[in-house]
Amino acid sequence: MTTSRAPALPGALRRGLDEWAQSEGMIWAFIFKALLTAFIALWLAYRLELPQANTVLATVFIVMQPESGQVLAKSFYRILGTLLGLTVTVPLIALFAQERVLFLLCLSLWIGVCTAGAARYRDFRGYGCVLAGYTAALIGLPSIAAPEGAFMQALWRVLEISLGILCSGLVSALILPQNSSTSLRRLLATRFRDFAGFAGAALAGQLDGQRLEQLNARFAGEAVVLDNLRNASAFEDPHFRMRSGRLGRLNHEFMVLSTRFHGLHQLLQRLQGEAGEQVRTALAPCLAGVGAVLAPLGQHLCSEADAEVLAQRLSDSKRELMQQIRDARQQLAAQQPSDGQLLDFNTAAEQLYRFTSDLHDYALTHASLLVHRHAREQWQDSFTPRANSLAAAVTGMRSALLVLLLGGFWIATAWPSGETCVLTAAMVAGLMASAPSPWQQSLRLLIGAMGSAVLGGLLQFWVLPWLDGFALLFCALAPVFAFGAWLLARSQTAGYGTGLLLWFCIVALPANLPAYDFHRLLNEYLAALLAIGLTTLSLALILPPDRPWLWRRLEHDLRMRVVFAVSGRLKGLVAGFESGTRDLLNQAQVSAVGRPEVQRRLLRWMFAVLEIGQAVIELRQEQARLPAEPCYGEGMPWQVAIRALGRALVRLFIQPDEGNRLRALAAVEQAIATVRQTPENRPPQFDSSPLRRVLSYLHFIRSSLLDPNSPLAAGSFVDAA
């Protein structure tokens, strides 16, 4: 027994160590790097005799992230935000040095604009907006009392922030690097594996509707995450920087692929009754062939080499599928089907063929990542995030009002710690601009800051006065930094860690010439805690973002994506439509956490928008590619009918009600009838007949409008009211 177990022990131990390294080990590596960065940055700040070493350390802990790409991206946008804030603040000081009220008013407006920008972008660019506002406050507030030293204060703050950024970037990139590119590869592989698995199960009729909704909501969020990872990876890895265009294209093609499959699946689900069963039976061999391609892909992670093999297989499968569709059509024709059955078959067959083509395009782009340079890198479109303009404006207005009120109180009372109060409010308002549950996150910051007050007081008056030298000082500070980094490394406790580390560094960190003043420390912490508490109250009381008003606005924005599909420019329309719709859904899902009925309603709206919007865009693309023949002329009745359908869809999605739904249905029926009556000198297959494809798009729009599970279904408007 002992002999048989001995060889297995090292393998089991190795697997255990690997699992630990991928979970707890990464957290301890992050703690080690945080301590090393803090040690280097603090030593340099003291050695260079910078006026505010706390700004250097605060920058370190704001920038520190588990992955080096995120650190570098954050650092880049922090520098841009800092320079922008400096550029705005210095002229304001020059203009209003003697008018404190006017200066505070302008500063509040600027912070409001920057906070609104952070809520608008919600990525690294949003972080740059946060820093543009915070830097303006950091430089501008001290100048209210001493405007003559404002320029030197600005230079010192830029140097201190730059030092913190430099230390964070170097340590993160050189010491135990955890690359964003690794997370990007993992996300690409797992997302496609899960998609292939659920698509194969859905084609085989083995996937329930709830699971389908959950996966589509997850894929929408991952599209946003992947684009952020792509941007972060470009900062750390030249391998991924050379492939940035293909990675963006890959993300876009996956969105198109998932939209296509959802439309196909919904169309198959709508084939009910005996007539629908005949169509499904005729399509069964075609569905089985595509399912056979997908089945093995759902069992393992797909590499670039696997994608190359898949692309070749799909190239052959497309030719086989075309012949299978023609054979199935002949089989169905022998049963003398109705016109509706033929239209159902042709539409479903075209959706299936296009799904296979989209899958082939995705495999080609994935396989192209094997080489440094490839023609598919030439990708001009980009992920276009969307945000509700009213929500962003409310966020900016809230922060501007808070800074103005606290600043006015500071000026009126000559409160010695008023500067810290206003600066803290500006910082917290900016940090919470893009948080999913801002008042809850702000409350976590408040609790963390309270913890820092306790630890800061103990260290300031019971430990630090007894120490001599930097080594002993850092040994005393290290437990606080390590505990804060441990909290920061976990998503559930990151808010507490941020509050602990930031306000410990800002308030309790000793200066180069330390002064142990109990009253100053108490006043500074009271100012910081008051500012965070008031910010939390404002986030909870002044139009909080996790309330019905925002859900209604996001639902309206989702519906307006169809208006964009009808009236937007064709260039870049697909990428803008797909990415914007998913970004809006991701915001809606986050803002409605804990409200599954709201999330499900918004998800159903996204499905309706994607189905009809994609069909409208492809219909417009088909019209743009029409050959110069009389039957395709702009003045033909079917062209006029399609334009009328576009206007009807715009009215329906701007104002969804039963009357507009019936008018849209009548318009699509009229367009279908007019296309059918138009003679065409081409074989009546979708691969050769433009009007056959136009008819398929129109029928798909009609089936979506008639879907009983759609938010546009008859009777749903009464329920919603």
Side-chain angles (χ1 to χ4, degrees):
M1 296 290 291
T2 305
T3 306
S4 62
R5 284 181 190 166
L9 184 60
L13 181 61
R14 191 182 306 111
R15 286 193 298 273
L17 289 174
D18 288 341
E19 292 175 2
W20 179 86
Q22 295 300 318
S23 55
E24 290 296 318
M26 296 180 70
I27 293 176
W28 286 106
F30 175 73
I31 294 172
F32 169 74
K33 291 198 294 185
L35 286 174
L36 180 60
T37 307
F39 177 85
I40 296 172
L42 190 59
W43 183 83
L44 287 173
Y46 287 153
R47 187 69 177 174
L48 297 173
E49 298 185 358
L50 297 180
Q52 293 186 9
N54 55 3
T55 302
V56 180
L57 261 291
T59 300
V60 165
F61 290 119
I62 288 177
V63 170
M64 280 300 293
Q65 296 289 315
E67 296 176 349
S68 58
Q70 294 177 338
V71 173
L72 295 174
K74 259 190 149 183
S75 300
F76 175 76
Y77 284 103
R78 183 177 174 92
I79 288 177
L80 289 184
T82 299
L83 294 177
L84 179 59
L86 174 66
T87 304
V88 170
T89 307
V90 171
L92 286 180
I93 295 171
L95 290 171
F96 303 111
Q98 306 301 322
E99 294 289 341
R100 296 183 298 173
V101 176
L102 286 177
F103 177 78
L104 184 62
L105 177 62
C106 293
L107 184 63
S108 302
L109 291 174
W110 172 249
I111 291 173
V113 169
C114 292
T115 308
R120 163 68 178 82
Y121 290 110
R122 293 163 287 107
D123 55 11
F124 296 120
R125 292 174 297 175
Y127 181 70
C129 292
V130 172
L131 265 297
Y134 172 65
T135 302
L138 186 67
I139 297 171
L141 291 175
S143 70
I144 291 180
E148 67 280 358
F151 184 73
M152 287 307 301
Q153 288 284 340
L155 291 182
W156 282 122
R157 296 299 85 78
V158 172
L159 287 174
E160 290 157 359
I161 290 170
S162 301
L163 178 61
I165 288 172
L166 181 64
C167 294
S168 299
L170 287 175
V171 171
S172 181
L174 299 178
I175 308 297
L176 299 176
Q178 299 175 28
N179 296 328
S180 299
S181 54
T182 304
S183 299
L184 177 60
R185 285 182 184 274
R186 189 185 307 115
L187 180 58
L188 280 174
T190 55
R191 183 179 69 169
F192 184 69
R193 180 198 62 192
D194 295 345
F195 173 78
F198 107 84
L203 289 178
Q206 300 170 354
L207 192 69
D208 63 280
Q210 184 177 4
R211 176 65 175 157
L212 183 68
E213 289 180 355
Q214 291 173 349
L215 286 170
N216 274 288
R218 193 191 106 192
F219 291 149
E222 287 179 347
V224 180
V225 172
L226 195 141
D227 192 68
N228 288 334
L229 283 174
R230 178 181 69 87
N231 291 327
S233 298
F235 282 93
E236 69 178 8
D237 192 342
H239 177 88
F240 278 85
R241 189 158 54 247
M242 296 179 69
R243 292 160 173 78
S244 182
R246 278 169 282 174
L247 290 168
R249 182 174 189 154
L250 202 63
N251 198 23
H252 165 75
E253 288 172 345
F254 183 85
M255 290 187 287
V256 172
L257 183 65
S258 60
T259 300
R260 179 82 61 198
F261 179 78
H262 174 76
L264 170 63
H265 180 261
Q266 291 300 103
L267 190 60
L268 294 174
Q269 293 296 104
R270 294 167 193 150
L271 298 176
Q272 302 295 327
E274 183 179 349
E277 187 60 32
Q278 286 182 344
V279 175
R280 291 179 67 95
T281 301
L283 278 170
C286 308
L287 297 174
V290 177
V293 175
L294 291 171
L297 300 174
Q299 305 300 320
H300 66 279
L301 299 178
C302 184
S303 66
E304 287 87 351
D306 295 330
E308 194 170 30
V309 175
L310 174 63
Q312 182 57 49
R313 184 178 179 188
L314 285 168
S315 180
D316 299 334
S317 296
K318 283 171 63 179
R319 290 190 293 270
E320 296 172 4
L321 179 61
M322 182 63 73
Q323 187 57 47
Q324 286 177 327
I325 290 173
R326 288 171 178 160
D327 294 342
R329 185 184 291 109
Q330 290 179 357
Q331 176 190 345
L332 183 64
Q335 302 175 19
Q336 298 181 343
S338 64
D339 290 343
Q341 285 178 296
L342 281 175
L343 198 49
D344 282 334
F345 175 88
N346 289 334
T347 303
E350 181 172 352
Q351 286 289 321
L352 181 62
Y353 186 80
R354 284 180 172 269
F355 170 71
T356 309
S357 297
D358 292 338
L359 189 60
H360 184 225
D361 288 340
Y362 180 89
L364 286 173
T365 305
H366 194 185
S368 72
L369 298 177
L370 279 170
V371 297
H372 289 313
R373 302 188 184 279
H374 197 278
R376 299 184 82 83
E377 180 70 22
Q378 306 307 314
W379 177 248
Q380 301 301 322
D381 295 326
S382 61
F383 190 95
T384 308
R386 298 288 303 176
N388 183 265
S389 55
L390 179 61
V394 166
T395 302
M397 176 271 296
R398 189 192 298 121
S399 64
L401 182 63
L402 186 65
V403 170
L404 186 61
L405 290 176
L406 290 177
F409 177 77
W410 169 36
I411 292 174
T413 60
W415 183 17
S417 296
E419 178 186 326
T420 300
C421 184
V422 179
L423 185 61
T424 299
M427 178 190 294
V428 175
L431 291 175
M432 296 299 104
S434 57
S437 299
W439 75 269
Q440 295 173 350
Q441 293 288 341
S442 181
L443 187 61
R444 293 189 181 100
L445 287 181
L446 179 61
I447 295 172
M450 288 178 178
S452 79
V454 174
L455 294 174
L458 290 174
L459 284 173
Q460 278 268 353
F461 303 108
W462 292 91
V463 177
L464 297 185
W466 300 94
L467 303 180
D468 184 24
F470 180 77
L472 290 177
L473 170 66
F474 193 81
C475 287
L477 298 176
V480 178
F481 294 159
F483 179 60
W486 182 79
L487 293 173
L488 201 60
R490 290 170 164 80
S491 58
Q492 302 90 338
T493 59
Y496 304 115
T498 302
L500 173 67
L501 291 172
L502 279 186
W503 278 276
F504 181 85
C505 293
I506 291 172
V507 179
L509 190 72
N512 219 336
L513 294 175
Y516 302 108
D517 185 344
F518 175 78
H519 295 289
R520 185 203 69 83
L521 188 72
L522 180 62
N523 270 288
E524 291 293 300
Y525 265 118
L526 284 176
L529 295 176
L530 176 64
I532 302 173
L534 290 176
T535 305
T536 305
L537 282 177
S538 72
L539 290 169
L541 299 177
I542 303 176
L543 294 176
D546 52 349
R547 291 295 184 272
W549 75 271
L550 181 58
W551 302 335
R552 289 191 294 268
R553 295 296 305 177
L554 290 172
E555 179 185 308
H556 174 266
D557 289 347
L558 277 172
R559 297 199 310 266
M560 291 300 291
R561 303 307 292 162
V562 174
V563 178
F564 175 67
V566 172
S567 57
R569 288 194 313 161
L570 274 178
K571 184 179 180 181
L573 183 60
V574 178
F577 173 77
E578 293 282 352
S579 58
T581 304
R582 282 169 173 78
D583 188 46
L584 284 169
L585 176 74
N586 186 49
Q587 295 170 62
Q589 293 287 300
V590 169
S591 68
V593 169
R595 298 293 299 272
E597 72 283 357
V598 176
Q599 289 180 322
R600 189 166 189 273
R601 174 173 174 80
L602 292 167
L603 190 61
R604 290 170 62 207
W605 270 114
M606 186 201 76
F607 289 151
V609 166
L610 285 177
E611 289 177 27
I612 295 177
Q614 187 184 58
V616 166
I617 291 173
E618 292 184 331
L619 179 58
R620 291 183 60 193
Q621 290 174 333
E622 191 66 49
Q623 290 176 287
R625 291 191 300 263
L626 288 172
E629 298 179 17
C631 63
Y632 306 129
E634 286 286 330
M636 292 294 292
W638 70 269
Q639 291 268 33
V640 175
I642 287 177
R643 289 194 288 272
L645 170 62
R647 293 191 293 271
L649 289 175
V650 167
R651 285 194 297 269
L652 173 61
F653 279 87
I654 290 177
Q655 182 60 52
D657 57 38
E658 187 62 20
N660 283 334
R661 188 185 77 89
L662 292 175
R663 279 187 281 272
L665 275 172
V668 74
E669 293 282 1
Q670 176 64 27
I672 289 173
T674 310
V675 171
R676 278 177 165 168
Q677 295 166 7
T678 303
E680 185 182 25
N681 297 322
R682 291 172 183 271
Q685 279 84 36
F686 68 81
D687 57 326
S688 57
S689 166
L691 290 186
R692 170 73 274 288
R693 295 191 290 272
V694 167
L695 197 60
S696 175
Y697 301 135
L698 294 173
H699 179 63
F700 185 82
I701 293 172
R702 179 176 64 179
S703 71
S704 295
L705 294 174
L706 292 172
D707 187 350
N709 297 316
S710 167
L712 295 169
S716 61
F717 308 111
V718 178
D719 296 338

